[in-house]
Amino acid sequence: MPTPSMEDYIEQIYMLIEDKGYARVSDIAEALSVHPSSVTKMVQKLDKDEYLIYEKYRGLVLTTKGKKIGKRLVFRHDLLEQFMKLIGVDDDKIYNDVEGIEHHLSWNAIDRIGDLVQYFEEDNSRITELRDVQKRNEE
Ligand SMILES: [Mn+2]
């Protein structure tokens, strides 16, 4: 299992490759606000653990294992953002909240949150009811 920090890297690398077709050390460093030397160190560890293949002057590619996990991590992040939005968390707090919790939930909890999001989305009146409760609590 990747550590939280490894998860952040795999997630960012997966997104960069999806968006641009490649992930450079400098792009990863910028996306995660870390020093490029930290990226190089982590990328070497991820290579050793077979999440990616890193060649110093040619860049890096995710392995099948790395892609599979990257996809799940991006899905998890997006689902949690959707969940935060649904329960009415302020837009400007959503990203940081998700970054703070995403590594600490079990996949079981993620799946159940997925059910809950689906439950609300299947019937808009449920969202309206939730907003009514929230309005009452604000009073
Ligand atoms: Mn994330």
Side-chain angles (χ1 to χ4, degrees), residues 42-89:
M42 178 58 93
V43 160
Q44 283 163 349
K45 175 161 175 48
L46 292 171
D47 181 307
K48 197 172 136 270
D49 290 355
E50 295 174 336
Y51 291 106
L52 54 80
I53 297 161
Y54 177 54
E55 287 173 50
K56 204 168 177 189
Y57 299 102
R58 297 181 59 194
L60 54 89
V61 283
L62 290 171
T63 60
T64 305
K65 170 176 149 179
K67 270 185 219 160
K68 194 174 156 204
I69 291 180
K71 194 174 176 174
R72 292 178 80 194
L73 297 176
V74 172
F75 164 81
R76 181 180 69 185
H77 182 106
D78 292 345
L79 172 68
L80 290 172
E81 281 204 11
Q82 241 184 308
F83 169 67
M84 292 284 173
K85 203 171 172 62
L86 173 77
I87 62 173
V89 175

Side-chain angles (χ1 to χ4, degrees), residues 33-135:
S33 312
V34 295
H35 197 270
S37 64
S38 311
V39 176
T40 305
K41 227 167 122 191
M42 178 58 93
V43 160
Q44 283 163 349
K45 175 161 175 48
L46 292 171
D47 181 307
K48 197 172 136 270
D49 290 355
E50 295 174 336
Y51 291 106
L52 54 80
I53 297 161
Y54 177 54
E55 287 173 50
K56 204 168 177 189
Y57 299 102
R58 297 181 59 194
L60 54 89
V61 283
L62 290 171
T63 60
T64 305
K65 170 176 149 179
K67 270 185 219 160
K68 194 174 156 204
I69 291 180
K71 194 174 176 174
R72 292 178 80 194
L73 297 176
V74 172
F75 164 81
R76 181 180 69 185
H77 182 106
D78 292 345
L79 172 68
L80 290 172
E81 281 204 11
Q82 241 184 308
F83 169 67
M84 292 284 173
K85 203 171 172 62
L86 173 77
I87 62 173
V89 175
D90 296 340
D91 280 346
D92 63 333
K93 298 195 179 67
I94 289 179
Y95 184 81
N96 281 340
D97 279 351
V98 171
E99 285 302 305
I101 65 168
E102 61 184 348
H103 308 294
H104 308 287
L105 296 171
S106 64
W107 287 99
N108 181 218
I110 297 294
D111 288 343
R112 299 296 69 79
I113 288 171
D115 294 344
L116 186 70
V117 170
Q118 189 185 335
Y119 170 79
F120 278 97
E121 286 187 340
E122 279 178 356
D123 184 347
N124 247 305
S125 70
R126 293 167 180 159
I127 298 181
T128 310
E129 280 176 24
L130 177 63
R131 295 290 173 263
D132 287 345
V133 171
Q134 291 173 328
K135 217 171 279 164

Side-chain angles (χ1 to χ4, degrees), residues 11-24:
E11 187 185 349
Q12 283 302 331
I13 291 166
Y14 184 89
M15 284 195 293
L16 283 166
I17 292 174
E18 284 278 287
D19 289 353
K20 310 178 26 164
Y22 56 89
R24 290 181 306 201

